[in-house]
Amino acid sequence: MAAELGDNNPRGLHFIADLANTVQDDPGAGPAALQALVERHGGPPFTLTDADADELRRATAHLVRILATTDEDTAAGLINDLLDRYPARPTLVRLPGRPWSLHSRAPREAGLTHWLLSTAALALGLWLGERGGCAWGSCAAPDCEHWFFDTGRRTPQRYCSPRCATRVRVAAHRAQRTPAAHPAHGTPGQAAPHGPGGRP
């Protein structure tokens, strides 16, 4: 791996969700896929090795444990544990066209695991504190278990994307339009039962 971990690391909740989903979809995600993901989120231009990719995948498991938690006290304990083991160095950063915001800078001697978990733990801790609870979850759409962060303010988010929400809504609408079978009334095209004397 060639890059300074303390300079321009990816920040933000979308990076955490994207990383967790990538590793969940492909438990053997290789260096090229993970390197592209990091760069897509504004990270340093890593040159990851197979060993680096394995390290990132194993570190991501710690983040998934937090995302799978719905109890805020449990989540806070897991986040604090990461911050104790992988201390972050908070610093205010102003990205182009955006206001000042708090980010973390890993120590110069930090490895990939420290870099990832210190960065992610600070982001998760800030989000938990801001929202007052575990504002994240797993998509409720069938055949999709992608992680997401709930950025809504009124109703809890249930789906990872508008695409999944639309897919569920369309399926529910189709199910409502499908007539239910009524055995007592026969099936379409079948004559209704006749009463005594052959009269309906």
Side-chain angles (χ1 to χ4, degrees):
M1 177 191 63
E4 287 292 343
L5 297 180
D7 287 340
N8 186 31
N9 36 12
R11 309 163 178 96
L13 304 173
H14 293 301
F15 166 69
I16 296 172
D18 200 4
L19 177 62
N21 289 332
T22 296
V23 174
Q24 178 174 268
D25 291 344
D26 181 6
L34 294 176
Q35 182 173 324
L37 185 153
V38 170
E39 293 176 5
R40 186 163 65 248
H41 285 274
F46 284 146
T47 301
L48 297 179
T49 65
D50 287 333
D52 295 331
D54 182 61
E55 185 178 349
L56 278 180
R57 292 193 304 268
R58 284 186 280 107
T60 302
H62 292 283
L63 305 181
V64 171
R65 286 184 62 200
I66 297 172
L67 296 180
T69 300
T70 57
D71 179 76
E72 61 189 75
D73 294 336
T74 301
L78 291 172
I79 293 169
N80 281 337
D81 181 58
L82 288 182
L83 289 172
D84 285 342
R85 293 166 59 190
Y86 307 101
R89 296 170 56 189
T91 184
L92 283 167
V93 173
R94 189 168 194 171
L95 300 176
R98 303 183 65 180
W100 287 97
S101 57
L102 193 64
H103 297 265
S104 69
R105 186 183 300 276
R108 292 285 180 179
E109 67 279 7
L112 269 173
T113 294
H114 192 138
W115 163 79
L116 172 63
L117 295 182
S118 65
T119 299
L122 181 62
L124 288 165
L126 290 171
W127 188 243
L128 179 67
E130 178 181 330
R131 298 303 296 267
C134 299
W136 53 69
S138 180
C139 187
D143 304 320
C144 181
E145 297 179 347
H146 278 183
W147 302 104
F148 64 85
F149 284 89
D150 186 350
T151 58
R153 292 291 179 179
R154 296 183 180 179
T155 58
Q157 183 175 331
R158 300 184 58 216
Y159 305 105
C160 68
S161 66
R163 179 180 180 182
C164 275
T166 299
R167 182 161 58 88
V168 171
R169 191 163 51 247
V170 169
H173 180 67
R174 287 176 177 168
Q176 289 176 350
R177 294 183 60 184
T178 301
H182 299 290
H185 298 288
T187 57
Q190 179 181 19
H194 284 56
R199 291 189 301 272

